[in-house]
């Protein structure tokens, strides 16, 4: 059974997995099938690593902003004490 793209995108993951597993019992695949899965896993790991990096950069930016504000306040105080 071939679905339209709209129907395919609306189908829940669990249903697609169940249908795949059912069809896989009677299907013969080539090596590209395994290479595609390995590539998908590499992409998923890269995406997760990029997400972790982005979160760390966000918090580093927050910390740097706080230090910049503290430095600016210290500079203003130093100007008035001099």
């Amino acid at each position: 059974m071939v679905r339209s793209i709209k129907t395919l995108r609306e189908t829940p993951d669990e249903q697609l997995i169940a249908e795949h597993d059912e069809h896989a019992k009677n299907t013969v695949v080539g090596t590209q099938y395994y290479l595609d899965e390995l590539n998908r896993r590499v992409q998923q790991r890269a995406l997760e690593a990029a997400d972790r990096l982005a979160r760390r950069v966000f918090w580093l930016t927050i910390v740097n902003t706080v230090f910049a504000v503290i430095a600016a306040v210290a500079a203003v105080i130093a100007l008035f004490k001099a």
Side-chain angles (χ1 to χ4, degrees), residues 33-76:
Y33 177 80
Y34 296 101
L35 293 175
D36 288 345
E37 175 59 19
L38 289 171
N39 192 31
R40 185 197 66 78
R41 292 178 186 194
V42 167
Q43 290 174 350
Q44 182 65 33
R45 286 191 292 269
L47 181 63
E48 290 168 357
D51 186 52
R52 284 192 305 272
L53 180 62
R55 289 177 192 278
R56 289 177 182 158
V57 167
F58 170 78
W59 286 110
L60 181 60
T61 302
I62 298 293
V63 169
N64 283 338
T65 302
V66 169
F67 283 139
V69 169
I70 291 171
V73 169
V76 170

Side-chain angles (χ1 to χ4, degrees), residues 27-34:
T27 303
V28 176
V29 297
T31 56
Q32 188 63 42
Y33 177 80
Y34 296 101

Side-chain angles (χ1 to χ4, degrees), residues 4 9 19 23 25 35 38 63 72 75-76 82:
S4 67
R9 289 184 178 164
E19 288 177 12
H23 294 310
K25 294 175 185 177
L35 293 175
L38 289 171
V63 169
V76 170

